[in-house]
Amino acid sequence: MSAEHSEDDLATRKMQFLYALRSKGVTDKRVLQAMEEIDRGPFVRGLFSERAYEDMPLPIACGQTISQPSVVGLMTQALNISPRDKVLEIGTGSGYQAAILAKLARRVYTIDRHRRLVHEARAIFEELDLHTITALTADGSHGLPDQAPFDRIIITAAAEDPPGPLLAQLKEGGIMVLPVGQSDAVQSLIRVHKTASGLEYDEMRDVRFVPLLEGLGKE
Ligand code: SAH
């Protein structure tokens, strides 16, 4: 195939990618624009890079997965981020979700328990000039007390319940989006709204995420 043809092909795949997002309910213009600006390609390595523009979760290093783009879009949309927001993400993984958050928010903190994933994600953020993201290796279930409170929190690994420290680190008026349920079963994507009178929960859809685990990973 000539270089020209493969470029056309890439453009078509990227258009289909955006079309798939819209058809699956990602309708917020700012979210769609952020997802158009952040190319998923660099976040998917090796064997699976060919499939970066398909609406599928894909394997990444350390036995983890990069989420399905439409789920990334729906979670981002549910966060309803404003440009002044400080956002915390638990589960950096490939860094793809954090990069999209960085297009919408003032400041993004992202945490993963795998040092290797954090290093690889940092290198991509550098490359893409995404200087408002801070990526850290830690057990994210304790949140990031030093930088709390947060306007928005997103957890991209499944816990049985929303972790208490993270609920505590959410600002009043803040929103948290996360999958809850057993790791080997279908989980529910939920949105938690912290109001003056307490926490309000709404359920969005069924999802499947890798589990939120305790402590640091081996690599
Ligand atoms: N948001 C990612 C996908 C995340 S996959 C992306 O856009 O690619 C879930 C990630 O959560 C994995 O990388 C896993 O290592 C991480 N994780 C699981 N438990 C964790 C914990 N307690 N603290 C921090 N990260 C955790």
Side-chain angles (χ1 to χ4, degrees), residues 29 33 36 39 51 53 58 71 75 86-87 92 106 123 136-137 143 148 154 159 172-173 182 186 209 216-217:
K29 283 211 179 72
Q33 193 182 335
E36 189 172 354
D39 186 348
R51 313 186 71 168
Y53 307 108
L58 295 169
V71 172
M75 289 176 86
K86 180 161 79 170
V87 183
T92 311
R106 174 173 58 87
L136 302 163
T137 307
I154 175 170
E172 194 179 302
Q182 306 275 349
V186 170
F209 274 83
L216 295 187

Side-chain angles (χ1 to χ4, degrees), residues 59-78:
I60 55 172
C62 305
Q64 306 302 314
T65 50
I66 177 171
S67 310
Q68 185 176 353
S70 56
V71 172
V72 170
L74 291 171
M75 289 176 86
T76 309
Q77 185 166 285

